[in-house]
Amino acid sequence: MKNNKTTFSRRKFLGTSLLTTAGLAALPGMSWAENIKPLADIHQIRLGFIGLGRQSMGLLNGMIKIPGVEVVAGADVYQVKRERFELRVSKAYSENGKPSQKVTLHENYKDLLARPDIDAVVIASPDHWHALMAIDACKAGKDIYLEKPLTLTIREGQELVKAVRANGTILAVGSQQRSDLNFQHAVRMVQKGRIGKLEKVLVNVGQPEHPISYDLPEQKIPDGLDWKSWLGPLKPIHYNEQLNPSISLNPEKNETFWGAWRKYKETGGGYMTDWGAHMFDIAQWGMGMDRNGPSKILPAMNGKPLTYQYTTGVEMVVGAFDGPTQAVKFVGEKGWIQVSRGKFAASDETLNPIMERPNPGFPPHLFDFIDSVQKRRDPMVPVEIGHSTCIVCTLGNIANELQRPLVWDPKTETFPEDWEASTKLHYNYEKGFTL
């Protein structure tokens, strides 16, 4: 292994392997859980968590159940969330019958990254911090589980891809729908031609699709929250609880809503990047466009929906359609398949999945990350795929902002001869921050 990690022998790789090298997606018609090998002489993966909000708590509950994982540290700019993390780790170990572990808490994530005893980090910060934290983690020799969307801007994604490959980092993107049997089956049927030649893909990311201007009233910054550090590279805006939900430990009061930073132009990309990172991911996977992308983007205007055009002739149309709010519908010349979380529908019952759903006790997507770290292999959703998906999300926002069609070159990741659109590939960081 690289840098500060223990070197594995080939014998130990084989002995501690958790899953066949084929990966989850290569197990058609069978449970990936049935393919788990007995654990022996397993290398302990010591994890640190960066960003300790609501999403991080869910990831903690999943990671801590996986054999070979030890949670040792957490970092957040909000003191009460650091304290909650320490309590949650202790509780999780107790509930899973494991000895309680000492957890070190950090206000500055760089202090966590500086620790030589940490193998990997889980980054669940707001989107505007993803790139800087992940690049720093690459340079520090840590493997990374990074929440989606990969980055806030396309330029950030380009730099993160370089950092991952330059440092030999294992980076898994939190696009967990790829580990879901319904989504796997839908993609398999489309790619096998079971609905005929693919003609159109409908994607519903929910509302509000596109980010709006920050309009929340100013509130007093709570004690223990370093608001300037929370903002980081963003231009200064005032605090409102909706951006970083407050909690308490006594009495216990956890978040009752998701942070609204994803909703505003100043801090996020709306549902286009929040849920689009999930749904466009499945759409591009089904189209065979991973590590690729559209060649033209038509904005939502004059009553027409946002539309992506691909060189294959397939169009991807964004907006509401019959069925669940967030969903993907593949339409072919011989039929259709519609898939969302927990739901599957098709034009013919022979297209329906027949797989049983295993319950291994821990989320398969998190399991895949730990297995990737053990084997030094790419996970199900490596950085390049997370980046190409994120590009689709951001291109839609740029086209809608400019209100004109855009030509995109997915190979060079540029707007050919379009200076105005090219200025939207990144934004000017606050003084003191550089990409």
Side-chain angles (χ1 to χ4, degrees):
M1 300 178 80
K2 60 186 175 60
N3 295 348
N4 59 358
K5 298 188 177 74
T6 304
T7 301
F8 282 1
S9 66
R10 179 169 175 77
R11 178 196 62 79
K12 182 172 284 189
F13 269 128
L14 296 175
T16 63
S17 176
L18 304 185
L19 192 64
T20 63
T21 55
L24 302 181
L27 302 177
M30 67 178 291
S31 161
W32 66 269
E34 294 171 0
N35 223 42
I36 299 175
K37 298 180 179 180
L39 303 177
D41 190 29
I42 190 167
H43 171 69
Q44 204 79 0
I45 304 297
R46 294 169 63 84
L47 284 184
F49 280 67
I50 299 174
L52 307 178
R54 185 178 184 181
Q55 180 66 14
S56 188
M57 295 301 97
L59 294 172
L60 170 65
N61 291 337
M63 285 289 191
I64 214 163
K65 297 174 182 177
I66 301 175
V69 169
E70 182 181 353
V71 179
V72 298
D76 198 281
V77 297
Y78 199 173
Q79 180 181 350
V80 68
K81 293 187 178 180
R82 296 195 298 271
E83 294 171 353
R84 177 181 65 177
F85 179 77
E86 184 175 31
L87 293 173
R88 288 288 183 90
V89 172
S90 178
K91 180 181 179 182
Y93 271 110
S94 176
E95 291 177 347
N96 286 279
K98 298 181 179 181
S100 181
Q101 302 291 324
K102 178 176 175 56
V103 176
T104 305
L105 304 175
H106 304 275
E107 182 174 359
N108 190 327
Y109 76 93
K110 292 184 179 181
D111 294 333
L112 184 152
L113 293 179
R115 290 180 50 173
D117 62 327
I118 291 178
D119 300 299
V121 293
V122 175
I123 299 177
S125 58
D127 298 351
H128 67 274
W129 264 113
H130 282 190
L132 293 177
M133 288 177 171
I135 290 172
D136 284 341
C138 290
K139 294 176 179 178
K142 314 303 182 187
D143 294 321
I144 307 163
Y145 183 93
L146 179 61
E147 263 304 325
K148 59 81 213 165
L150 186 79
T151 56
L152 184 61
T153 73
I154 292 174
R155 178 64 178 154
E156 287 178 337
Q158 293 167 340
E159 292 304 310
L160 180 53
V161 170
K162 294 176 186 176
V164 167
R165 296 310 175 190
N167 291 278
T169 303
I170 302 299
L171 185 148
V173 185
S175 300
Q176 73 268 18
Q177 289 181 170
R178 292 216 181 196
S179 300
D180 181 276
L181 296 180
N182 272 354
F183 289 101
Q184 289 184 2
H185 181 75
V187 168
R188 186 178 296 115
M189 293 297 97
V190 172
Q191 293 188 350
K192 283 187 174 183
R194 293 289 302 277
I195 61 172
K197 182 180 178 181
L198 186 62
E199 298 177 339
K200 182 182 295 186
V201 183
L202 306 178
V203 178
N204 189 349
V205 300
Q207 296 293 326
E209 287 181 359
H210 313 294
I212 61 176
S213 296
Y214 184 55
D215 59 356
L216 296 174
E218 183 172 4
Q219 295 178 339
K220 181 179 180 298
I221 299 172
D223 293 339
L225 172 60
D226 183 343
W227 184 241
K228 184 177 180 180
S229 293
W230 186 94
L231 289 171
L234 296 179
K235 296 301 179 182
I237 58 172
H238 59 258
Y239 169 81
N240 184 284
E241 183 186 26
Q242 292 291 317
L243 297 184
N244 191 341
S246 61
I247 65 169
S248 64
L249 300 180
N250 188 19
E252 182 175 355
K253 176 182 176 293
N254 296 304
E255 299 93 336
T256 57
F257 54 87
W258 294 101
W261 45 263
R262 50 181 51 82
K263 181 179 177 181
Y264 300 104
K265 291 179 180 178
E266 294 80 359
T267 54
Y271 275 24
M272 281 291 292
T273 58
D274 189 46
W275 272 95
H278 286 305
M279 296 305 164
F280 293 136
D281 186 61
I282 299 302
Q284 288 228 135
W285 189 20
M287 286 188 281
M289 282 291 161
D290 278 339
R291 306 171 191 258
N292 206 322
S295 58
K296 192 171 184 179
I297 307 95
L298 307 177
M301 59 186 299
N302 299 326
K304 295 182 179 180
L306 174 66
T307 301
Y308 298 84
Q309 296 179 343
Y310 291 77
T311 56
T312 58
V314 177
E315 286 193 341
M316 181 166 66
V317 180
V318 182
F321 56 87
D322 292 341
T325 303
Q326 287 90 9
V328 178
K329 186 173 184 177
F330 297 100
V331 181
E333 59 183 358
K334 296 181 181 179
W336 56 268
I337 290 174
Q338 182 172 297
V339 63
S340 60
R341 294 187 182 182
K343 295 183 180 181
F344 188 100
S347 56
D348 190 301
E349 64 179 13
T350 63
L351 297 171
N352 292 336
I354 58 175
M355 296 170 284
E356 294 184 1
R357 298 182 174 280
N359 183 15
F362 39 78
H365 206 64
L366 304 185
F367 179 92
D368 176 66
F369 168 63
I370 298 302
D371 186 52
S372 300
V373 172
Q374 289 280 356
K375 294 181 187 174
R376 311 311 301 164
R377 66 163 175 86
D378 267 344
M380 283 195 71
V381 189
V383 64
E384 290 87 357
I385 292 178
H387 178 48
S388 62
T389 296
C390 195
I391 285 175
V392 174
C393 304
T394 306
L395 288 177
N397 279 337
I398 295 174
N400 280 326
E401 179 182 350
L402 296 179
Q403 280 292 282
R404 61 177 174 83
L406 300 176
V407 175
W408 175 253
D409 185 336
K411 298 302 181 184
T412 61
E413 297 181 0
T414 60
F415 295 106
E417 300 181 5
D418 191 333
W419 177 86
E420 183 184 29
S422 297
T423 64
K424 305 297 181 181
L425 295 174
H426 193 49
Y427 69 98
N428 292 323
Y429 284 163
E430 177 65 358
K431 184 178 180 181
F433 293 87
T434 58
L435 183 59

